[in-house]
Amino acid sequence: MEVFANAHFVGVCVFGLLVALIFFKIRPVVAFVSTASLLFVFNTITQTQFLVGFTNSSLVTLLLLIFCSFAVEKTVYIKKLGLRLFSGTFKKSYIKLLLGSSLVSSVTNNTAVVATLMSSIKQYAPNRASKLLLPLSYASIVGGTLTLVGTSTNLIVAGFVEEAQLTPLTMLSTTLIGFCVLITCLLTLLVTTQLLPEKASEVSDPKNAYFLEAKVSARSGLIGKTVVENGFRDLGTLFLSEIIRDGHLISPVSPNEILQSSDRLLFSGDIHDVTGLTKFDGLEIVGESLTETNLNLVEVVVLHDSILCGKSIKTAKFRSLFNASVVGVRRGDTKISGGLGNVVLSAGDALLLAVGTDFKDRKNLKRNFVILNDDFSNGTLSKRTSNWVLTSFLTVIALSVFELIPLLKGMLILSGVYIATGILSIREIRRRIPFDIALIIGSALAIAHAMMSSGLALKVSELIIELTSGLGILGAFVGIFITTLILTELITNNAAAALVFPVAISVAQSFGADPMPFVMAVAFGASASFISPFGYQTNLMVFSAGRYKIADYVKLGLPVSLVYSATALIVIPLVYQF
């Protein structure tokens, strides 16, 4: 087969990858694997170059680190973190939340930290959720830049550094820069809290909370009685907002409206009061008895690359995919109307699910949802075991910091010990293993090699140098950072790092400069996701829970992004000189 190794062909492939990610919202794993496969099929990269990325030591280290973090998530300290943070005045709690979440996120999975603290905020500070959740996400993102293991982005960049045969990154390669960025960003969050609206809690304003649907069964005692007579005007935090009858929408609902068989009643309000509907004779949710349904409700958030995005609940085949049915939907501060089955799901939607017995064991959960229920975890370890898990985890990190043992070897040993002692199970790891991340990184390394070997990276670097002409190496450095930042907001952090890294190395080579400042520009630019809910997973997690609008991300995220960027661009050249 003819060899297609020219920059034009690779450029077309990379351009197609960007179009697929930005405009068609193709799942990153599908887009990256397809692009790498295309390059291999047309002999742009060899079989070895196509496969070697999947055995990259940084990728293996990342996977082992994720496995070990499963054990850390189960410790009593992570579970009780919120209780320690939310005591005292709001200002003190806010400061403790920012510091606690950022520091914990520097050594463990920030998704787990944010999910845990989201539950704590709902329990201890529900009336201040809109003031706390988005700053929580931002603090965890910035905290992740403190160490090599604080965010998957840093480890991915470390993998590219290894592949390019540059000086390997150490555990603390990003620490000094990350510390400066963390201080300035936390100070910014402290003085900009007024930029976020203090929205009423779900209890006092149920109309913008969860959207639920129940059906009046044919033998229901509710039939023939008015809304008032049936007691639907005394539901606490639930509100009967609409009725769908024979395909017609009745809204608003009159107190004197007489209920009929097969009426679909649409409620909005607090999910914790769904159990209050069990007192009504003949109400069904998703075709099941309310009494049975309310025993197994699970709250999840739809991820940006979920296979459900763009599909209505009715056509998503939810039960066959997850052995669960959608009971309720919540979408930021947007009021949802019409039948539940007709709701087209979007990234960031919070769903209330009635789950079956094997829902927890479905392997596709982590690829589609973030699960918010505290009681839906894999159990909490005893205090003694928690002490041992945390001590062993931090010991391995410390040994790596002092270069006494490679992080990969330490995490391999530790994960084996966790499995041998029953703290982790093979079944749990198999169910939660992040296949998507492994496939994206492996494919991205192959694409990066094609960009370098074909000369595409050099051509793009020349374009960046030309656009920043007159500004020299510093202008090109800023250009790399800004390019990575923009792509992060558009196509997620890991994808942005993968696409910009080979260009950054080519820019450094063009100037005959040390590549490390440009490597750091990619690493920190890829973590600068603040003005969109879609660039970083934790931003998406808090979207519906905080009942935010896109404008809220811009209001708070823009000053944080500017401060973050300015600090990084000033400090990086001071720590790593050109």
Side-chain angles (χ1 to χ4, degrees):
M1 183 178 291
E2 183 182 353
V3 177
F4 288 84
N6 61 80
H8 296 293
F9 177 70
V10 178
V12 169
C13 291
V14 173
F15 179 76
L17 172 62
L18 285 170
V19 170
L21 292 171
I22 297 173
F23 297 104
F24 292 98
K25 305 299 181 184
I26 302 297
R27 295 180 66 193
V29 63
V30 174
F32 272 88
V33 171
S34 299
T35 303
S37 299
L38 187 64
L39 293 170
F40 169 58
V41 167
F42 283 95
N43 293 336
T44 303
I45 52 177
T46 65
Q47 177 174 300
T48 300
Q49 292 164 348
F50 177 61
L51 296 176
V52 71
F54 297 98
T55 59
N56 181 275
S57 65
S58 292
L59 171 57
V60 178
T61 301
L62 173 61
L63 295 177
L64 291 172
L65 180 68
I66 291 173
F67 297 161
C68 292
S69 73
F70 295 159
V72 176
E73 291 174 22
K74 298 161 80 171
T75 63
V76 293
Y77 300 106
I78 296 295
K79 301 296 182 183
K80 295 180 179 180
L81 182 61
L83 179 62
R84 296 182 178 274
L85 296 180
F86 297 102
S87 58
T89 64
F90 170 77
K91 187 173 182 180
K92 288 183 179 179
S93 296
Y94 185 66
I95 293 173
K96 288 190 291 184
L97 176 68
L98 296 181
L99 289 174
S101 59
S102 58
L103 293 177
V104 174
S105 294
S106 69
V107 292
T108 191
N109 190 308
N110 57 10
T111 301
V113 173
V114 171
T116 299
L117 293 179
M118 281 176 65
S119 299
S120 299
I121 289 171
K122 288 166 61 179
Q123 180 178 357
Y124 300 113
N127 292 317
R128 296 295 185 94
S130 62
K131 289 286 191 183
L132 296 171
L133 288 172
L134 195 52
L136 164 64
S137 176
Y138 290 169
S140 70
I141 291 172
V142 180
T145 66
L146 286 171
T147 66
L148 187 66
V149 301
T151 171
S152 61
T153 305
N154 285 352
L155 277 166
I156 289 172
V157 171
F160 287 123
V161 168
E162 176 189 332
E163 193 71 15
Q165 298 182 338
L166 302 175
T167 303
L169 299 185
T170 67
M171 182 66 68
L172 302 181
S173 290
T174 63
T175 300
L176 184 55
I177 305 165
F179 177 77
C180 295
V181 168
L182 177 64
I183 294 300
T184 56
C185 287
L186 292 189
L187 289 174
T188 304
L189 288 171
L190 285 173
V191 300
T192 56
T193 53
Q194 71 277 9
L195 295 178
L196 285 177
E198 187 168 342
K199 300 179 181 181
S201 69
E202 293 177 4
V203 175
S204 60
D205 185 15
K207 294 185 180 181
N208 289 319
Y210 261 96
F211 176 81
L212 309 106
E213 179 178 321
K215 182 180 179 181
V216 179
S217 65
R219 298 182 180 180
S220 173
L222 305 173
I223 298 173
K225 299 178 183 178
T226 66
V227 168
V228 171
E229 289 171 340
N230 280 313
F232 285 122
R233 280 293 183 261
D234 186 23
L235 296 177
T237 64
L238 284 178
F239 178 81
L240 177 59
S241 56
E242 299 173 349
I243 296 176
I244 296 179
R245 179 179 297 156
D246 298 326
H248 299 290
L249 183 66
I250 301 173
S251 179
V253 178
S254 167
N256 298 318
E257 185 70 41
I258 298 175
L259 298 186
Q260 299 180 16
S261 176
S262 298
D263 277 353
R264 287 151 61 197
L265 311 183
L266 308 179
F267 299 90
S268 55
D270 187 356
I271 61 171
H272 299 99
D273 274 2
V274 176
T275 52
L277 297 178
T278 57
K279 66 182 180 182
F280 297 103
D281 175 42
L283 269 190
E284 295 179 350
I285 286 184
V286 294
E288 300 176 5
S289 163
L290 268 169
T291 304
E292 297 175 1
T293 299
N294 283 305
L295 295 177
N296 54 355
L297 294 178
V298 174
E299 190 177 7
V300 302
V301 174
V302 178
L303 293 175
H304 73 279
D305 57 349
S306 169
I307 60 175
L308 301 172
C309 292
K311 297 180 181 179
S312 69
I313 294 174
K314 186 182 297 183
T315 61
K317 299 181 180 179
F318 218 96
R319 183 176 290 279
S320 62
L321 285 173
F322 308 106
N323 191 20
S325 297
V326 180
V327 175
V329 179
R330 180 174 62 187
R331 178 175 296 159
D333 200 38
T334 303
K335 185 178 184 299
I336 299 176
S337 180
L340 189 63
N342 296 323
V343 174
V344 177
L345 296 175
S346 302
D349 284 352
L351 308 180
L352 186 65
L353 306 180
V355 304
T357 53
D358 74 336
F359 173 81
K360 187 176 181 179
D361 297 321
R362 293 292 173 113
K363 296 180 181 179
N364 55 356
L365 297 184
K366 289 291 180 179
R367 304 172 202 171
N368 292 281
F369 309 120
V370 174
I371 300 176
L372 302 182
N373 292 52
D374 270 345
D375 55 356
F376 199 75
S377 63
N378 292 285
T380 303
L381 302 174
S382 66
K383 186 173 181 179
R384 181 178 179 181
T385 306
S386 295
N387 289 335
W388 183 82
V389 167
L390 275 181
T391 301
S392 59
F393 183 82
L394 293 176
T395 298
V396 169
I397 297 292
L399 290 173
S400 174
V401 168
F402 293 105
E403 300 183 5
L404 296 176
I405 184 174
L407 183 60
L408 190 156
K409 186 178 293 185
M411 287 296 165
L412 179 62
I413 295 172
L414 193 59
S415 58
V417 172
Y418 287 162
I419 293 171
T421 55
I423 293 172
L424 293 177
S425 66
I426 296 295
R427 182 180 183 183
E428 178 183 354
I429 291 175
R430 186 188 300 120
R431 174 170 55 84
R432 299 184 64 187
I433 186 171
F435 288 108
D436 284 13
I437 290 179
L439 291 172
I440 289 172
I441 296 174
S443 301
L445 287 166
I447 296 169
H449 184 90
M451 291 176 67
M452 294 289 291
S453 62
S454 68
L456 175 64
L458 179 61
K459 289 182 180 295
V460 177
S461 69
E462 290 173 349
L463 176 61
I464 290 177
I465 293 172
E466 183 179 344
L467 291 174
T468 58
S469 59
L471 300 176
I473 190 171
L474 186 60
F477 164 74
V478 174
I480 288 294
F481 182 91
I482 293 175
T483 300
T484 311
L485 184 152
I486 293 173
L487 286 178
T488 293
E489 298 289 8
L490 293 175
I491 62 172
T492 77
N493 54 335
N494 294 335
L499 291 175
V500 180
F501 183 86
V503 178
I505 298 302
S506 292
V507 170
Q509 291 173 347
S510 297
F511 282 100
D514 188 331
M516 195 55 67
F518 293 89
V519 170
M520 290 295 129
V522 173
F524 280 87
S527 290
S529 178
F530 302 107
I531 58 177
S532 164
F534 308 112
Y536 206 93
Q537 185 164 297
T538 57
N539 285 347
L540 193 61
M541 290 169 62
V542 302
F543 178 61
S544 284
R547 296 166 52 206
Y548 296 118
K549 300 176 181 178
I550 300 296
D552 293 324
Y553 286 80
V554 177
K555 287 178 184 178
L556 184 63
L558 187 57
V560 173
S561 183
L562 291 174
V563 169
Y564 176 102
S565 300
T567 306
L569 290 172
I570 292 171
V571 176
I572 290 173
L574 296 177
V575 178
Y576 296 101
Q577 298 180 356
F578 295 112

